[in-house]
Amino acid sequence: MSSEQNPAPDHADTAEAGAAGRPRRLTYAAVLAGLEGVALGAGGLWVLVLGLTGSPDDRQQAVTLGVTLAVLALLPLLAARGLLLRRSWSRGPAVITQIMALPIAYNLLKADSMAIPAGIALAVVAVAALILLVNGETTRALGIKGPGRAE
């Protein structure tokens, strides 16, 4: 068949179809995971730049921390992309990211500084994202079947 008889699908149409079949809860979970990834990456770059240009106590440790944070930002960013594309594998990394965020939020809340509002924000985002990720509608949209329901 020629391309005139069988036209190629428009990318905008397929994006709209994917968004139409994706529940809002899944989209919100993807947005929260993406925001966490962006914040983690920005924090990593900030620590890296300060480690290189400032005068830290241990330059090697500051650079290592900055690079580590920037690389760890890939986990929630990839999970967010997978959630938006409705890939079932993406829920695991997204849940792991939220579980890792909870102890960090707790430590920020114990601080006697300006870190307390950051701890509150991180805790709220992590709990909200976890609720969205384990929701039945999200699970069905990702095609995840519960135990004993394999077909």
Side-chain angles (χ1 to χ4, degrees):
M1 291 188 165
S2 70
S3 62
E4 293 171 355
Q5 293 172 338
N6 193 8
D10 187 15
H11 293 293
D13 291 341
T14 55
E16 287 176 12
R22 184 176 53 242
R24 268 194 239 164
R25 291 181 177 127
L26 183 58
T27 304
Y28 296 155
V31 167
L32 290 176
L35 288 175
E36 286 175 329
V38 168
L40 195 56
L45 291 176
W46 181 62
V47 170
L48 180 63
V49 168
L50 285 180
L52 293 173
T53 61
S55 55
D57 294 337
D58 186 359
R59 184 175 308 273
Q60 182 180 3
Q61 186 178 13
V63 170
T64 302
L65 176 63
V67 170
T68 302
L69 289 175
V71 170
L72 282 175
L74 294 175
L75 181 67
L77 290 173
L78 289 172
R81 184 175 187 276
L83 290 171
L84 286 174
L85 296 174
R86 296 176 59 185
R87 305 287 191 250
S88 62
W89 61 263
S90 61
R91 190 173 81 156
V95 168
I96 289 169
T97 300
Q98 307 318 315
I99 291 172
M100 288 179 3
L102 290 173
I104 296 168
Y106 178 74
N107 283 329
L108 290 173
L109 289 171
K110 288 186 357 181
D112 291 330
S113 67
M114 294 296 293
I116 293 173
I120 292 170
L122 182 58
V124 167
V125 168
V127 169
L130 277 172
I131 290 170
L132 292 169
L133 287 166
V134 299
N135 183 279
E137 189 178 340
T138 301
T139 303
R140 283 187 298 279
L142 292 173
I144 298 172
K145 297 182 178 18
R149 296 187 187 140
E151 293 177 11

